[in-house]
Amino acid sequence: MGLALLCAGQGSQHPAMFQRLAAEPAASQALELGSQAAGLDLRELADSASGDDLTTNRMAQLLVVTHALGAAAALADCGVEPTVCAGYSVGELAAHCCAGSWSASTAIDVTSQRAALMDTACDAAATPLSMAALVGLSIPRVERLAAEHGCEVAIINGPDHVVLGGPAGAVQDIVDLAPELGARHVKRLPVQVASHTHFIDTAVEPFAGVLREADWRMPQYAVLSGLDGRPVREKPVMVSLLSRQIGERLDWGRCLECVVEHGATAVLEIGPGRALARMVQGRFPHVPARSFEDFRSAAGAARWASRQA
C-alpha cells in the first residue's frame, strides 16, 4: 500500500477541532507549540474561541497546521508511514514537516511568519479581500467572470471546481451571480485574504527570505508542490515554490493526479474537515479516502490505513 497524507488548508477550522487530538499523548508537542504561537490553549479552543476568532488569517493558518502536525505525530506513534505528502495552500507547510523536512517547531514558526507577511500584504491592498469556491462552471468561464469583476482564479481543484480571490465586494458579486450562470455550488469561504493571487504578492519575496533562513533537510517521504505537483527534493526548489504559491495560482487538481502517480493507493486527510478526502473520492473513486476526523482516535485511523494494504 502507498498511503498519502494530505494536509488541509484554512477554511475548515472549527472550535472542536482539537478535542480528539488532546487525548493523544504523541500530539502534545505540536499542540503546545501551536498554543504558544496562537496565544491560547488550543486544547480548550471549544470553550475559549468564537467562530469569528477562527477566521482571522493568522489564527486560521496556525490552527490548521497545528492540527495536521498533531495528527501526523499521533499517526506516526501508531506506526503509520506515508509514501507521499501534499498540502492544500498553507497545508503544504505541514506536509513538509510530515515528510521530514522540518521539525514541528520550524513548521509552526514558518507558518506564523507566513501569516504575518500575508496580513501586511492585505493591509497594503487597501481593500478587504476574500475568497469563494465555485463548482459547475468551466475554468475558462470562471476566468472570464473573475477578470470582469477584478478578481483572479486562485486554485484549480478540478475541471469545474475552482476557488477565486480578490476584493471582498467583487467576490460577493460573483457569489450572487454565479448560480444564474449555472454554478451548482457557490460558497464564500471563511477567510479574510486572497491567497494565491497578485493582490498579496508583496509577501512573496519576504517569505522567500524566511524560508532560506529556516532549517531544512532532505525529506524522508515524497512531498509534492501544490503549484503543479512536482516533487520537492532540494532547498532552493522548496524556497521558490512555497514562496511563489502565496501570489500564484495553485493547481491542486494536478497535485492530486501526481499523488496517485506517486503510488498512493489510499489517502488520509489530516487537519480539520473532510474537503480533501471528498475531492479524492470524486476524482479517483478507486482510491479509498478518509479524514482523520472520521475516526475517534489515531489508533482507529491507523487501523483503517493498515487495512488498505
Side-chain angles (χ1 to χ4, degrees):
M1 177 197 73
L3 178 68
L5 289 181
L6 301 186
C7 303
Q10 59 177 307
S12 297
Q13 63 273 14
H14 57 87
M17 60 189 284
F18 291 106
Q19 288 183 339
R20 289 181 180 87
L21 282 179
E24 301 284 351
S28 61
Q29 180 194 26
L31 294 183
E32 182 60 32
L33 290 168
S35 296
Q36 292 174 4
L40 74 165
D41 190 341
L42 298 183
R43 289 159 291 207
E44 300 177 359
L45 189 68
D47 300 320
S48 61
S50 69
D52 290 342
D53 292 335
L54 306 187
T55 64
T56 63
N57 181 50
R58 182 174 183 275
M59 182 62 75
Q61 293 195 41
L62 286 170
L63 292 179
V64 299
V65 169
T66 298
H67 188 287
L69 299 187
L75 290 166
D77 192 55
C78 295
V80 173
E81 292 191 17
T83 296
V84 58
C85 303
Y88 192 83
S89 190
V90 70
E92 192 170 333
L93 304 188
H96 277 267
C97 185
C98 294
S101 297
W102 286 331
S103 67
S105 177
T106 296
I108 294 292
D109 179 60
V110 167
T111 300
S112 182
Q113 293 193 66
R114 178 184 190 266
L117 291 167
M118 290 171 67
D119 283 340
T120 298
C122 287
D123 291 342
T127 184
L129 300 174
S130 185
M131 304 184 80
L134 280 70
V135 179
L137 300 178
S138 69
I139 294 169
R141 182 68 186 93
V142 178
E143 288 176 331
R144 291 194 297 271
L145 185 65
E148 290 166 2
H149 289 78
C151 297
E152 292 180 22
V153 172
I155 308 173
I156 297 175
N157 291 322
D160 68 347
H161 182 183
V162 304
V163 176
L164 56 84
V171 170
Q172 186 61 52
D173 289 342
I174 294 175
V175 167
D176 294 338
L177 179 61
E180 301 175 15
L181 300 177
R184 300 190 305 274
H185 175 76
V186 182
K187 180 182 179 181
R188 180 88 171 257
L189 301 181
V191 299
Q192 301 172 20
V193 64
S195 303
H196 321 301
T197 71
H198 85 276
F199 295 100
I200 60 166
D201 62 9
T202 55
V204 171
E205 284 305 317
F207 188 54
V210 170
L211 294 170
R212 290 187 191 99
E213 294 299 317
D215 292 334
W216 187 89
R217 54 188 175 271
M218 180 72 69
Q220 296 172 271
Y221 314 110
V223 56
L224 306 184
S225 168
L227 278 175
D228 54 15
R230 81 180 76 174
V232 182
R233 300 188 181 95
E234 300 174 344
K235 185 171 183 178
V237 175
M238 176 275 292
V239 170
S240 174
L241 296 178
L242 278 182
S243 59
R244 284 171 48 205
Q245 69 143 263
I246 287 179
E248 292 184 25
R249 177 190 301 185
L250 300 184
D251 192 341
W252 179 248
R254 175 58 185 154
C255 188
L256 288 182
E257 292 173 357
C258 292
V259 165
V260 176
E261 290 171 6
H262 271 74
T265 55
V267 167
L268 184 60
E269 177 178 359
I270 55 177
R274 299 172 175 83
L276 304 185
R278 286 195 294 267
M279 289 182 198
V280 173
Q281 290 169 341
R283 296 198 62 187
F284 306 99
H286 64 287
V287 178
R290 300 288 297 274
S291 164
F292 186 85
E293 290 198 341
D294 291 341
F295 303 94
R296 288 183 293 178
S297 66
R303 284 192 294 270
W304 172 82
S306 68
R307 288 196 297 270
Q308 308 313 310

